[in-house]
Amino acid sequence: MRAILSGVHPKQGGQQSLELELIDVPYAVTDLAMIFMEKNALATFNVPIHRGVRNNMLKVRVDMQSFTFEHRGQSDFSWEMYFAFNVDHQPYLLQVESEYVSGRHQLTLSSYFEINSDDEEHALLDVHTNQNVDDFSITSINLTQGGLTVTGHDTINGQRLGQQTLILKDQASGEQVEYADTVNLLHGLFAITIPVDQLNAGHFYDLRIEYHFQGQLVDQRVIWTRALAGQNDVQPQSNGQTVKIQATPTSGVVISVLPPLPLTAKVAALGSKAGRVRNKVRQLNTKVNNRYMRWLFKRNHRPFETTTIIFESFGGRQVSDSPLAIYRLFKRLYPGFQLIWSVDRSAVAACKANGIPYVVRRTAKWVRTLEKARFWISNARFPAWVKKPKSVTYIQTWHGTPLKKLGLDIENVTMPGTNTAAYHRNFVNEANRWDALVSPNDYSTQIFRSAFGFNNQILKVGYPRNDELINASADDITALKQKLNIPLDKKVVLYAPTYRDNQFAEKGKYTFELPFDLDQFKAQFGTDTVLILRMHYLISNALDISGYGDFVYDLSSYPNISDLYLVSDLLITDYSSVFFDYAYLKRPILFYPYDYHLYKDELRGFYLDYEKDLPGEIAHDEATLLKDIELYLQRPDMSADPKFQKFYDRFCSINDGLAAWKVVNYVVHQIEQ
């Protein structure tokens, strides 16, 4: 039996909820408790668990302030965690493993806590007190063409900071440059960019921050407690000067300004850059067959000197989903890493248009890049013949909370090109290559364990792609509607059905016909409503919407479905898992399973009780569907609906808008180890 710390979430009053996952529980356990033991003082702290085990998940609420005490001037406390239980009145103690690595969570101006793991992957709660109240630890610091960008947490123990101001103080003259244009990067993170093009050449500047907290003005020096690897610490300016970030021995941050280079140095630098370009041109980028690919994967490739992360979404067909959310945050926080997308040739034009570094799949360069990288981040499976080196950490984000049965849970696979035994075998083989799997909730964690035969690390942080749903503002939604040419004065209905395993045209392609009359739909709603169609990417036939003008928008190929969630007022789906994500918005959801009994009884089946567990009404015919649309377009907020709120608490409550940051933090922690 194993007990794994799978998540830590803030609660009201400064408390934290620790979440434990129990694996391989062979018997009934009683008298549950969490026991914390401080490694140095050997003190113990016992927290009874009053709620029993549900779906092998436990939640324990603790106050981090209670993990400090007076002991010979000790200021740092490291607590091991143990799960205590009884079996047939016999007591047992199990040390808790860690699948969660937190950042620095400030408790007061002088104390903070972190969740770490020891050399044997056991969980540690590290609490630090008596810290310097003059220090403010930041999350990232980078120089860009726009200036010096600093990001950090905007709360202390759940209380918001206010009016953050970044200050550059000239060490020689004492003059200050201040900037307070704060951007909310993600929920809980702020970013400030301060121009540096007017700083004095040859001068050094200390970096400080001011903010309001609990009614007081706080002035602190900015500290950076990690190596600068991954940060962009040098940036040439248009005036010829070069600005550089330096860390002091005491973790402070100094900005230095180097004078313009002489002409001879510029020529030498240009020649070096041209040489690198010539080397890249010489790289082989020829499409080869699978046999040649397999042979290339068997060769030993030395890893890149620069930490390299490969991103892939839906087998290279898109630059989208959770890998894109993680990529964007890496690009902003750690631009010094090499970030590369693995894409099909069909996605190359989009990469070029958006300045996204890429490598084309199934080429010799692709093989070398995969093998020489340090991390793979994907939301689907790589081909089975792709070899994963031991030096690579493979993070699987997956692509949805499962409604339909997956992997080993599918008893009869009817998809073309495979059979049940082969499908099961391929799923397990692929899952065993994943070093970490992202999960959005306890429900998914349990299914992933069983359906994938997965026993490696699960990062239960929520899906990074859903951060956008939590962090988007009303202005963001307006901008999206303008981008998609959707009228601002009309309501939006989003129809996003699943593909059906029994409607395939050929291997990898499926057909679909709309199960409602567009003319009737337009007649009833067309004056003040528009309809967005979002078909599954496997659908091979293009839907004919000619003649419907500004009423119907076929956005099936639009890469980011989260944008479509944000602009819509109501979702219609059937068996697709999209409603799990859409529920974050607390907007109405309707279900239109016009072939429900066929799909349930003859195809893959469901994990949920489709009649009881869904967060919205079910319409089995077109007349009921149209009636429900008219009703629920008048109810934009479902927060007061008990059934909906119960669903939200079960499936959406852990995502705090920082899922991408938590995955980034996990990767950086692996690098530092």
Side-chain angles (χ1 to χ4, degrees):
M1 184 168 125
R2 300 167 62 196
I4 301 174
L5 180 68
S6 62
V8 179
H9 303 285
K11 297 297 179 182
Q12 291 182 347
Q15 291 186 323
Q16 304 288 327
S17 176
L18 308 184
E19 298 182 354
L20 294 182
E21 179 190 1
L22 304 183
I23 297 179
D24 300 331
V25 183
Y27 28 65
V29 293
T30 59
D31 302 322
L32 312 181
M34 278 284 287
I35 296 177
F36 298 84
M37 186 176 74
E38 210 286 316
K39 294 173 62 177
N40 298 313
L42 301 182
T44 59
F45 187 64
N46 190 311
V47 182
I49 302 174
H50 299 293
R51 296 177 59 183
V53 179
R54 180 182 177 184
N55 294 327
N56 287 352
M57 302 301 302
L58 292 172
K59 292 180 173 60
V60 184
R61 186 170 291 194
V62 296
D63 184 351
M64 293 302 178
Q65 302 278 15
S66 63
F67 287 91
T68 63
F69 53 89
E70 292 296 330
H71 179 70
R72 299 177 182 177
Q74 184 175 346
S75 60
D76 295 332
F77 302 85
S78 186
W79 297 85
E80 295 176 340
M81 304 182 197
Y82 295 86
F83 174 55
F85 58 95
N86 283 355
V87 177
D88 295 332
H89 305 292
Q90 293 293 320
Y92 292 87
L93 204 62
L94 190 64
Q95 189 165 3
V96 176
E97 304 172 41
S98 178
E99 287 193 349
Y100 181 86
V101 177
S102 78
R104 172 172 171 152
H105 294 267
Q106 206 75 27
L107 293 170
T108 67
L109 290 177
S110 61
S111 64
Y112 67 94
F113 80 89
E114 296 175 303
I115 302 293
N116 293 304
S117 58
D118 61 19
D119 293 339
E120 297 181 354
E121 299 301 322
H122 291 133
L124 292 175
L125 167 60
D126 293 328
V127 183
H128 305 269
T129 65
N130 295 331
Q131 302 302 300
N132 192 339
V133 295
D134 292 331
D135 290 346
F136 184 89
S137 179
I138 56 175
T139 301
S140 75
I141 179 167
N142 286 288
L143 286 163
T144 67
Q145 292 183 349
L148 175 71
T149 300
V150 169
T151 64
H153 288 280
D154 66 359
T155 59
I156 295 179
N157 206 26
Q159 299 183 53
R160 294 291 297 271
L161 312 183
Q163 302 178 33
Q164 297 96 319
T165 301
L166 201 62
I167 301 169
L168 285 176
K169 185 175 181 180
D170 193 321
Q171 291 182 352
S173 66
E175 295 180 354
Q176 295 187 168
V177 179
E178 300 182 3
Y179 219 70
D181 190 5
T182 306
V183 176
N184 292 323
L185 180 61
L186 290 173
H187 182 71
L189 288 178
F190 73 88
I192 300 177
T193 300
I194 185 168
V196 294
D197 54 351
Q198 300 300 316
L199 299 182
N200 297 319
H203 286 224
F204 295 84
Y205 295 81
D206 294 321
L207 186 60
R208 302 189 67 83
I209 189 170
E210 287 183 354
Y211 56 89
H212 287 265
F213 179 65
Q214 295 182 334
Q216 297 182 353
L217 177 63
V218 180
D219 178 11
Q220 296 174 308
R221 71 168 187 150
V222 170
I223 64 170
W224 175 252
T225 57
R226 289 173 162 167
L228 284 171
Q231 308 295 289
N232 188 24
D233 57 356
V234 177
Q235 180 67 40
Q237 301 296 302
S238 58
N239 57 11
Q241 297 178 169
T242 299
V243 180
K244 184 176 182 181
I245 300 172
Q246 296 172 288
T248 70
T250 57
S251 300
V253 177
V254 174
I255 310 301
S256 58
V257 184
L258 308 179
L261 292 172
L263 180 61
T264 54
K266 290 182 179 180
V267 172
L270 180 63
S272 174
K273 182 176 180 180
R276 290 195 298 271
V277 172
R278 286 194 297 270
N279 290 335
K280 288 184 178 181
V281 171
R282 297 191 187 103
Q283 291 179 349
L284 178 64
N285 191 24
T286 305
K287 186 174 181 180
V288 292
N289 58 38
N290 287 353
R291 181 175 297 180
Y292 183 41
M293 292 290 101
R294 290 186 178 91
W295 178 80
L296 287 175
F297 272 113
K298 293 179 181 178
R299 305 187 67 182
N300 293 322
H301 299 271
R302 182 178 300 175
F304 290 115
E305 292 184 4
T306 301
T307 297
T308 300
I309 306 174
I310 301 298
F311 298 86
E312 188 175 280
S313 181
F314 297 111
R317 289 182 294 275
Q318 299 177 2
V319 175
S320 65
D321 207 67
S322 289
L324 178 59
I326 299 168
Y327 164 81
R328 284 173 171 166
L329 199 56
F330 260 118
K331 186 177 179 182
R332 181 153 191 170
L333 300 184
Y334 293 94
F337 294 153
Q338 186 172 215
L339 312 174
I340 302 174
W341 278 83
S342 164
V343 298
D344 278 344
R345 293 189 183 278
S346 60
V348 169
C351 289
K352 289 182 177 180
N354 293 283
I356 297 174
Y358 68 91
V359 60
V360 177
R361 297 174 90 245
R362 297 175 185 260
T363 63
K365 182 180 179 180
W366 176 68
V367 174
R368 289 198 307 274
T369 306
L370 281 178
E371 294 288 278
K372 291 164 70 67
R374 174 76 187 277
F375 295 90
W376 299 349
I377 299 177
S378 173
N379 71 350
R381 293 177 286 173
F382 280 102
W385 43 265
V386 170
K387 175 194 169 192
K388 184 180 88 74
K390 293 181 180 180
S391 58
V392 166
T393 297
Y394 184 177
I395 300 171
Q396 173 60 243
T397 69
W398 204 239
H399 47 266
T401 299
L403 170 64
K404 301 179 291 289
K405 289 187 176 179
L406 293 171
L408 299 177
D409 293 340
I410 305 177
E411 297 178 359
N412 182 29
V413 177
T414 60
M415 289 181 288
T418 187
N419 57 54
T420 302
Y423 184 82
H424 287 177
R425 183 173 59 253
N426 290 338
F427 240 114
V428 173
N429 289 341
E430 170 65 11
N432 285 333
R433 301 199 295 176
W434 305 339
D435 296 288
L437 170 62
V438 174
S439 170
N441 43 54
D442 294 338
Y443 162 91
S444 298
T445 296
Q446 297 302 310
I447 291 173
F448 290 159
R449 292 285 191 203
S450 64
F452 298 157
F454 185 76
N455 285 314
N456 292 336
Q457 191 166 26
I458 285 185
L459 305 176
K460 192 180 67 176
V461 298
Y463 282 137
R465 69 185 185 192
N466 289 334
D467 289 345
E468 180 181 359
L469 304 181
I470 296 172
N471 293 298
S473 66
D475 290 340
D476 294 331
I477 295 173
T478 297
L480 284 173
K481 285 186 175 181
Q482 291 172 335
K483 174 184 175 181
L484 296 170
N485 294 318
I486 294 174
L488 298 180
D489 59 343
K490 292 190 176 184
K491 294 182 178 180
V492 179
V493 174
L494 171 62
Y495 179 53
T498 190
Y499 73 93
R500 285 145 171 80
D501 292 349
N502 65 343
Q503 292 184 337
F504 56 85
E506 57 183 277
K507 182 178 179 181
K509 292 186 177 181
Y510 299 79
T511 61
F512 187 82
E513 299 296 332
L514 284 177
F516 51 81
D517 190 302
L518 271 180
D519 290 324
Q520 186 175 353
F521 201 102
K522 182 178 181 181
Q524 187 165 343
F525 302 107
T527 57
D528 61 357
T529 304
V530 297
L531 174 67
I532 293 177
L533 301 178
R534 172 69 175 203
M535 302 295 108
H536 195 278
Y537 71 90
L538 287 175
I539 301 300
S540 61
N541 59 316
L543 296 173
D544 184 9
I545 58 172
S546 57
Y548 292 95
D550 295 332
F551 175 62
V552 181
Y553 296 74
D554 184 2
L555 298 177
S556 300
S557 60
Y558 186 79
N560 187 6
I561 193 172
S562 292
D563 289 351
L564 307 186
Y565 296 154
L566 286 169
V567 301
S568 63
D569 298 283
L570 181 149
L571 169 69
I572 304 172
T573 187
D574 43 25
Y575 319 113
S576 172
S577 65
V578 295
F579 67 89
F580 288 103
D581 296 340
Y582 193 81
Y584 283 95
L585 297 172
K586 295 189 176 181
R587 299 174 189 170
I589 303 171
L590 297 179
F591 295 85
Y592 184 39
Y594 55 90
D595 55 356
Y596 169 59
H597 294 292
L598 171 65
Y599 204 86
K600 177 187 177 186
D601 297 335
E602 297 186 11
L603 300 181
R604 292 203 271 181
F606 310 98
Y607 288 111
L608 293 181
D609 186 326
Y610 197 84
E611 297 286 351
K612 298 179 180 179
D613 295 337
L614 299 183
E617 297 297 321
I618 301 175
H620 290 285
D621 57 70
E622 186 172 352
T624 305
L625 174 67
L626 297 179
K627 179 181 177 181
D628 287 342
I629 292 173
E630 186 171 3
L631 174 64
Y632 281 93
L633 279 177
Q634 309 307 316
R635 296 182 58 185
D637 187 349
M638 299 298 292
S639 299
D641 186 287
K643 182 178 181 180
F644 187 98
Q645 191 59 43
K646 181 180 178 181
F647 180 90
Y648 183 92
D649 292 341
R650 183 180 180 188
F651 295 102
C652 307
S653 59
I654 74 165
N655 199 332
D656 54 8
L658 289 170
W661 179 80
K662 291 172 182 176
V663 175
V664 168
N665 194 53
Y666 169 81
V667 171
V668 173
H669 183 77
Q670 303 301 310
I671 295 170
E672 291 177 341
Q673 283 187 325

